[in-house]
Amino acid sequence: MAHEHGPAFVFVNLIEAHLPYDPPEGYRGRLHTGSAHPVIDRLLMDRLLPGAFAGSLTDDDLADARTLYQEEVAYVDGALGELLAVLARQRRGNALVVVTSDHGEAFAEHRLGTIQLIDHQLSLADELLHVPLAVRWPGHLEGGRVVTEDVGLLDVAPLLRSVLGERGTPALLNPEADRVFSASYMPPANLRPLLERLAPAQSAALASRTLRAVRAGPEKLVVASDGPAMLFD
């Protein structure tokens, strides 16, 4: 942002909305209701993953975890607002801004055997793949438009290239019908030690389990390296 008058490219990674859910001061407790209170945060975090692998998380545990996560998302939203304010002060209010996420978060909507799936491991469910993607470009894009066709994160780079003068209309601005999207899951290296501690009997199988998903229109096919294919509408 040091180039006050020339073009600039800025990438900001807001990492807060990840385990452990620990909202910053000013956001902690903002959305808690009833008996839930921020003092439970650390105790909840200490038992969240062990409870998920044991399949013993209660509805209250999951509700509290969702609330903490939403408070972290609220913090990220506030940080984004501050960034837009900086752009306005630097007379870059007409800048192209793309807001997206690398993944969503699961809160035991699905199970893998007895394991309650939380965080963003061991799954390619839509809770993880269906992420926000917002594009703001005053003077070039109509505000408030909602694209209902399928688009993907791979569409973002062509959009940015088109801004730099590349010919053609990127799919993000003109989504095509009948497009095919894919996603894959490879276990991260740090998953094995966690599995060996929390699910020793399953650690070897889960640490090598890969997933592949393909989506075309309303249909989604998920293939696991250790099981049958699953087709969803």
Side-chain angles (χ1 to χ4, degrees):
M1 299 299 290
H3 303 286
E4 293 185 4
H5 303 294
F9 174 82
V10 178
F11 175 81
V12 179
N13 186 16
L14 299 168
I15 198 71
E16 187 66 37
H18 276 79
L19 278 175
Y21 308 135
D22 188 16
E25 195 68 32
Y27 291 87
R28 181 188 302 272
R30 178 180 292 192
L31 301 179
H32 278 86
T33 58
S35 60
H37 189 273
V39 297
I40 70 169
D41 293 4
R42 182 49 55 192
L43 291 175
L44 174 62
M45 290 301 103
D46 288 344
R47 69 174 186 268
L48 195 59
L49 284 175
F53 278 98
S56 61
L57 291 177
T58 67
D59 289 343
D60 287 342
D61 289 334
L62 294 168
D64 289 339
R66 284 192 194 92
T67 298
L68 292 167
Y69 177 72
Q70 289 165 351
E71 289 173 349
E72 293 208 319
V73 172
Y75 164 75
V76 170
D77 184 67
L80 177 61
E82 294 177 10
L83 175 61
L84 295 178
V86 169
L87 291 174
R89 289 197 299 271
Q90 295 195 358
R91 298 182 180 179
R92 295 180 182 270
N94 63 342
L96 169 64
V97 178
V98 179
V99 180
T100 189
S101 177
D102 55 342
H103 58 76
E105 204 80 337
F107 290 94
E109 294 89 351
H110 308 279
R111 287 177 176 262
L112 181 60
T114 59
I115 297 174
Q116 294 167 288
L117 293 176
I118 63 170
D119 190 32
H120 47 273
Q121 304 296 343
L122 304 173
S123 173
L124 285 178
D126 274 10
E127 285 79 10
L128 307 186
L129 300 186
H130 189 189
V131 298
L133 179 54
V135 181
R136 174 184 181 269
W137 197 10
H140 298 271
L141 296 179
E142 175 188 356
R145 177 188 172 199
V146 177
V147 175
T148 58
E149 297 87 353
D150 290 335
V151 295
L153 296 184
L154 290 179
D155 293 322
V156 173
L159 171 67
L160 300 179
R161 290 198 299 268
S162 73
V163 173
L164 298 176
E166 185 177 280
R167 293 184 177 180
T169 302
L172 194 57
L173 300 183
N174 185 26
E176 304 169 9
D178 301 325
R179 299 179 68 202
V180 176
F181 299 86
S182 64
S184 59
Y185 169 78
M186 302 291 291
N190 62 356
L191 181 63
R192 183 180 286 274
L194 180 68
L195 292 170
E196 290 175 347
R197 179 168 59 89
L198 298 178
Q202 301 167 280
S203 60
L206 294 180
S208 61
R209 186 175 192 261
T210 62
L211 296 166
R212 179 82 172 172
V214 178
R215 178 169 176 170
E219 296 183 332
K220 176 182 172 184
L221 178 70
V222 180
V223 180
S225 61
D226 61 349
M230 297 171 286
L231 182 64
F232 300 90
D233 184 346

